[in-house]
Amino acid sequence: IKKASHIICISNETKKDLIKYYKVDKKKISIIYLGVDIKKRNTIKKKNYILFVGSRTRYKNFINFVKAFNSSKFLKEKYSILCFGGGKFTFKELTLFKKLGLLKKIKLTEGNDRKLENSFKKASLFVTTSTDEGFGLTPFEAMNFGCPVVCGNLRVFRENLLNCCYFVDVKSITQIKIGIEKVLKNTELKKRLIKNSYKKIKQFTWNKVSLQTLFVYQKVMKLRKNL
């Protein structure tokens, strides 16, 4: 950090943390949000599962999601949970699933980007219960494939995803349950989230990321030449 000529942060929240914990001069920082490869949306029949993608450990707060699912008679009767990636279920996770009677309700799959894409497309809902994120790319991926999103009421998500996702307090099992049920039961809400999300992701493309990054490189090189 001390040696760097310039630093790129992926969100304003990341920038704030960098300044707070490492006392970096804000003039030395640029914010460049991440992006997605925007896909053409095709109508596809949804399946009755809720998708959770990636790591399930620590701040990802997966256990609260499972407990919220378990607390809802509606969800247990109508839906299952599909976890994509994140490694095999641990002994602790399997023990909890068994205790809650959810062994047949929670599945794990892995695969390439194409399989992940299909998982997003077919999911009735994508849920991320992280208590902290630097940017949070998976909600954007879900939005890109027409999958409604329930996510934590984090400042970084509020920064980028306002009006596109349904926000919940992820420390509250009850609030997670209420949020998931509300989106799944309310067709108009679901349609509105999907419509808003497609408008939003057009602002977050890898082409835009690359051009902004190039601009930062050129700016730094110019400054170094003038030293």
Side-chain angles (χ1 to χ4, degrees):
I1 290 172
K2 289 180 180 179
K3 291 180 179 179
S5 299
H6 202 80
I7 298 171
I8 294 173
C9 289
I10 56 176
S11 68
N12 194 50
E13 283 303 307
T14 307
K15 176 183 176 180
K16 287 179 181 178
D17 284 345
L18 195 63
I19 293 170
K20 179 179 178 180
Y21 295 110
Y22 294 96
K23 314 303 178 189
V24 177
D25 183 350
K26 63 182 181 180
K27 294 179 182 178
K28 191 179 176 179
I29 304 170
S30 292
I31 298 172
I32 300 179
Y33 296 113
L34 301 181
V36 293
D37 290 319
I38 296 175
K39 304 289 185 179
K40 183 179 179 181
R41 291 188 181 179
N42 299 312
T43 303
I44 188 168
K45 187 176 180 180
K46 297 289 186 179
K47 293 190 176 181
N48 290 347
Y49 67 80
I50 301 167
L51 183 64
F52 189 98
V53 175
S55 174
R56 302 181 300 276
T57 60
R58 299 168 46 244
Y59 68 94
K60 295 296 184 178
N61 198 31
F62 174 68
I63 297 303
N64 267 15
F65 167 46
V66 172
K67 290 179 177 178
F69 179 89
N70 184 65
S71 68
S72 169
K73 182 180 178 181
F74 166 74
L75 294 177
K76 287 191 291 184
E77 286 181 352
K78 301 287 186 181
Y79 295 89
S80 61
I81 294 173
L82 177 65
C83 296
F84 191 101
K88 293 181 179 179
F89 290 135
T90 64
F91 177 77
K92 183 178 179 181
E93 287 174 324
L94 291 172
T95 301
L96 177 65
F97 301 164
K98 186 176 181 180
K99 180 181 177 181
L100 299 178
L102 297 176
L103 279 173
K104 293 183 179 180
K105 280 286 182 178
I106 305 179
K107 305 296 182 183
L108 174 67
T109 188
E110 295 179 296
N112 56 23
D113 288 345
R114 179 59 61 85
K115 189 172 182 180
L116 176 59
E117 178 179 327
N118 286 331
S119 296
F120 275 123
K121 286 179 178 178
K122 294 177 182 178
S124 293
L125 182 70
F126 171 74
V127 171
T128 174
T129 46
S130 296
T131 57
D132 189 28
E133 288 289 348
F135 178 78
L137 190 57
T138 49
F140 283 88
E141 292 177 327
M143 288 158 52
N144 193 29
F145 297 116
C147 182
V149 176
V150 169
C151 65
N153 189 19
L154 307 181
R155 283 179 298 184
V156 69
F157 287 156
R158 286 284 185 182
E159 182 181 338
N160 298 318
L161 301 175
L162 202 59
N163 301 325
C164 301
C165 304
Y166 192 87
F167 297 97
V168 297
D169 177 1
V170 294
K171 293 181 180 179
S172 168
I173 291 168
T174 301
Q175 289 301 310
I176 297 172
K177 180 196 80 167
I178 291 172
I180 292 173
E181 285 185 344
K182 188 167 184 177
V183 175
L184 289 173
K185 290 179 179 180
N186 190 325
T187 303
E188 289 306 311
L189 172 60
K190 202 185 306 182
K191 286 180 179 178
R192 186 167 71 250
L193 291 176
I194 292 172
K195 183 180 179 180
N196 290 345
S197 69
Y198 201 53
K199 292 179 181 177
K200 174 64 70 173
I201 60 170
K202 291 178 181 178
Q203 302 171 25
F204 294 84
T205 66
W206 286 120
N207 185 55
K208 187 174 181 180
V209 173
S210 63
L211 291 173
Q212 290 176 331
T213 304
L214 177 61
F215 176 78
V216 171
Y217 288 171
Q218 291 172 334
K219 179 181 174 182
V220 172
M221 290 173 68
K222 186 176 180 181
L223 287 173
R224 288 178 66 88
K225 285 180 180 178
N226 292 334
L227 290 177

